Amino acid sequence: MTSQQLARRSLQTRLALAYAAGIYAAGVFVLVLVDVPLASVQSAKPQGQASSSAITGTGHGISLPQLLAGSAVALVILIPVALALGWFVAGRFLHPLRAITATAKIISAGDLHRRLDLGEPTDELTELGHTLDDLFARLQASFDAQRHFVANASHELRTPLSGLRTLLEVALADPDADADALRSACQEALALGGHQERLVKALLVLATSERGISRWDTLDLAQVAEGVLASRRDRAAERGIDLTEHLTPAVTAGDPRLIESLIVNLIDNAIRHNRPGGHVEITTQTSGTQVTLTVTNSGPVIPDDQIQRLFQPFQRLAPDRNGRRDGYGLGLAIVNAVTQAHHATLTAGARPEGGLSITVRFAHASHPSLQHQSGSAAHLR
């Protein structure tokens, strides 16, 4: 017998003994409740009347010794009855737990599609079963997303490596290659290496964002956005995209590097997936206990049912949103991960004339929850 079976039997034994003790105590209480009044009545009868009844044989009822003997026999018989009832009741109560344990073992063995499905009646155990079913569903979705992410990441990393290997093999196989041809091959190899380096950096940022935050500092979204815009104006000008800003103080708390990464990816995504002569508008403002960052851009028309998919890793609206593949499909996924890490709210909507409008709402730096998290992070450091 395994340790799990021993533990299960031990629990059923303890419950059975507890139930039997309760049943036995109730039986003793009933007998005492009945015997004590009868005994008091018997002791209150005159001795002469009792002896006369005994002589004439006209007395009726049960004498006190007989009553006590019968009660003792009843208590002895009640012991196995109480144990049997306790064992039965304990087994009935443990049946859902056994079903939960058996199904959980099957699920842990790799079948994430199984569910408990305890059904009715609704009680504490079935509520536990429903909670575990929800947990298993989230685990299944998480594992599926992880497998999908690994497959996509492997594909994205393998593509530049394959191109680099082919480029080098062609260059080495050419016996007449001169210095210019080799220099050109090296330049292409460097470009592929740079592409792979940027992809790995984006993956690291995504992993860091999903890991959570251990550092909470006070910062102004307007100042961070202003610095990012200064470094992106030349790129926007090359593509003929107009950058406009409406930056007002928006003080919040969080990891400065992650929030800067969020703003960088929002602006880069707005520039990359735009059209010549388009525009990008960045707005920061404070409203009550929240500060907001909004990035709006022109671009291709995006169906509403495709917006949420774009915030998953390696997801693009199409293989080529604007005739180019200079993105990795990770920008909006990083934005989503940083937003969740800061307990912020992200909303995105498609503009009828094309493009996206993305708003991230952070709690103000004076919000009690942020002050508590900042204090906790400082204590950890």
Side-chain angles (χ1 to χ4, degrees), residues 149 200-215 255-259 261 333-342:
F149 176 83
V200 172
K201 182 179 179 180
L203 289 172
L204 289 175
V205 173
L206 179 61
T208 303
S209 305
E210 292 178 340
R211 184 180 60 190
I213 300 175
S214 58
R215 174 183 178 184
D255 190 321
R257 291 176 299 177
L258 292 182
I259 291 181
S261 175
I334 293 174
V335 170
N336 186 40
V338 174
T339 300
Q340 293 181 2
H342 286 82

Side-chain angles (χ1 to χ4, degrees), residues 202-240:
L203 289 172
L204 289 175
V205 173
L206 179 61
T208 303
S209 305
E210 292 178 340
R211 184 180 60 190
I213 300 175
S214 58
R215 174 183 178 184
W216 292 83
D217 294 335
T218 301
L219 54 91
D220 188 350
L221 295 179
Q223 294 180 356
V224 180
E226 186 177 2
V228 174
L229 286 171
S231 64
R232 264 46 180 189
R233 291 194 182 277
D234 292 340
R235 182 186 304 176
E238 291 175 0
R239 301 196 178 191

Side-chain angles (χ1 to χ4, degrees), residues 16-72:
L17 290 175
Y19 296 146
I23 296 172
Y24 195 77
V28 171
F29 177 75
V30 171
L31 288 177
V32 170
L33 194 66
V34 173
D35 289 354
V36 169
L38 291 178
S40 62
V41 170
Q42 183 71 21
S43 62
K45 293 180 65 176
Q47 294 294 329
Q49 182 181 352
S51 58
S52 174
S53 300
I55 295 172
T56 59
T58 60
H60 298 284
I62 302 174
S63 64
L64 181 58
Q66 291 175 329
L67 181 63
L68 294 178
S71 299

